[in-house]
Amino acid sequence: MSKAYDLEERLISFAADVVLVFDKPAKTYASKYYAEQLIRSSGSVSLNFSEFAGAGTEKDKINKLRIALKEIKECNNNLRIQLRAGLGDVKHLKKLQDEAEQIVRILVAIINKR
């Protein structure tokens, strides 16, 4: 199994985990707002990374990686906001935040190697 495939599966798992944690009726406007945004941005990370794998030019590949990086940073900040505002289960939020931070570091490393 290639490293790219491993990361692609990890990104799919992250997006699926977000859906599993947040796909339930929200209790407040804020929790609904941040949950919906997190679901969109977590899925976007995975989708843009898969486009990176199929991009034709190096410029296009870097662009897709940068978009994925932007989206995972958005996920991380979203989770930080939710933690500080007490919008969800701390254990689940911290686990997702830890994974988001690891993914940020991986994508930065990939971009820097190109």
Side-chain angles (χ1 to χ4, degrees):
M1 191 179 304
S2 73
K3 288 184 181 185
Y5 184 78
D6 290 343
L7 182 54
E8 186 173 40
E9 285 301 313
R10 189 169 176 177
L11 296 174
I12 290 168
S13 292
F14 177 74
D17 289 346
V18 166
V19 169
L20 292 171
V21 170
F22 291 97
D23 191 28
K24 59 186 177 202
K27 295 178 183 175
T28 67
Y29 170 80
S31 60
K32 180 179 186 224
Y33 176 85
Y34 285 106
E36 288 176 351
Q37 184 59 36
L38 184 60
I39 288 170
R40 285 190 298 273
S41 57
S42 67
S44 181
V45 176
S46 175
L47 297 173
N48 276 288
F49 186 80
S50 69
E51 287 185 25
F52 149 76
T57 66
E58 188 63 21
K59 184 177 180 180
D60 193 25
K61 287 180 185 234
I62 299 261
N63 185 50
K64 297 302 179 190
L65 284 173
R66 286 185 177 144
I67 293 169
L69 177 61
K70 177 185 88 64
E71 294 291 342
I72 195 64
K73 285 182 175 181
E74 181 177 315
C75 291
N76 189 38
N77 284 336
N78 182 314
L79 290 160
R80 291 175 61 207
I81 291 167
Q82 290 193 56
L83 277 164
R84 287 193 190 173
L87 295 180
D89 180 89
V90 172
K91 178 183 169 188
H92 287 119
L93 292 174
K94 284 190 175 191
K95 182 181 177 195
L96 289 169
Q97 185 191 19
D98 179 59
E99 180 66 0
E101 288 174 351
Q102 290 180 39
I103 293 168
V104 166
R105 287 191 293 273
I106 291 167
L107 290 177
V108 166
I110 293 170
I111 291 168
N112 287 339
K113 287 182 180 180
R114 294 183 137 338

